[in-house]
Amino acid sequence: HQSHRVQLLAYASLVETNTKKSPPYGILKYGEKDVHQVFWDQHAKESLFSSIKEIQKLMVEGGAKEIMNVKESAETVAEDML
C-alpha cells in the first residue's frame, strides 16, 4: 500500500533527523507471510519529498478531505525536512 510506504519513509526521515544516523531500510509487515523491505536511499528520499510537496500543494488548493486528515503529520514531517 502506497500510503503505508510513504508513512514508513516519513518515519525513516524522522529517525535520520533525530539520531543523525540513516536507517538502511524499514519493514512493512501484513500478517505473518507478507513482509516488504523498503529501502531508505536517495530514491526513497526523493519520493518522500515529492509526496510531501504534493500534499502541501493539495492543502493550499483546498484538496481532498482525506488530505486534511494527514495535515498535522505532513506539516510536522515537512518542517523537519526543511
Side-chain angles (χ1 to χ4, degrees):
H1 302 280
Q2 182 63 15
S3 63
H4 295 164
R5 182 180 177 277
V6 171
Q7 184 176 1
L8 178 62
L9 295 177
Y11 285 131
S13 177
L14 290 170
V15 167
E16 184 175 80
T17 299
N18 288 308
T19 67
K20 308 296 186 235
K21 295 179 182 177
S22 184
Y25 61 87
I27 296 175
L28 293 175
K29 186 174 179 183
Y30 305 101
E32 291 298 317
K33 297 183 181 181
D34 192 10
V35 179
H36 304 270
Q37 186 176 28
V38 179
F39 290 98
W40 179 240
D41 55 14
Q42 189 59 38
H43 181 309
K45 291 175 186 182
E46 291 169 4
S47 175
L48 177 62
F49 298 144
S50 176
S51 294
I52 289 170
K53 286 179 184 178
E54 181 65 21
I55 290 170
Q56 290 173 331
K57 177 183 162 197
L58 290 171
M59 287 170 53
V60 167
E61 295 173 353
K65 285 184 179 181
E66 61 198 60
I67 295 300
M68 298 310 289
N69 292 335
V70 297
K71 179 180 178 181
E72 183 176 331
S73 295
E75 289 174 343
T76 301
V77 171
E79 289 171 6
D80 286 342
M81 298 179 124
L82 297 176

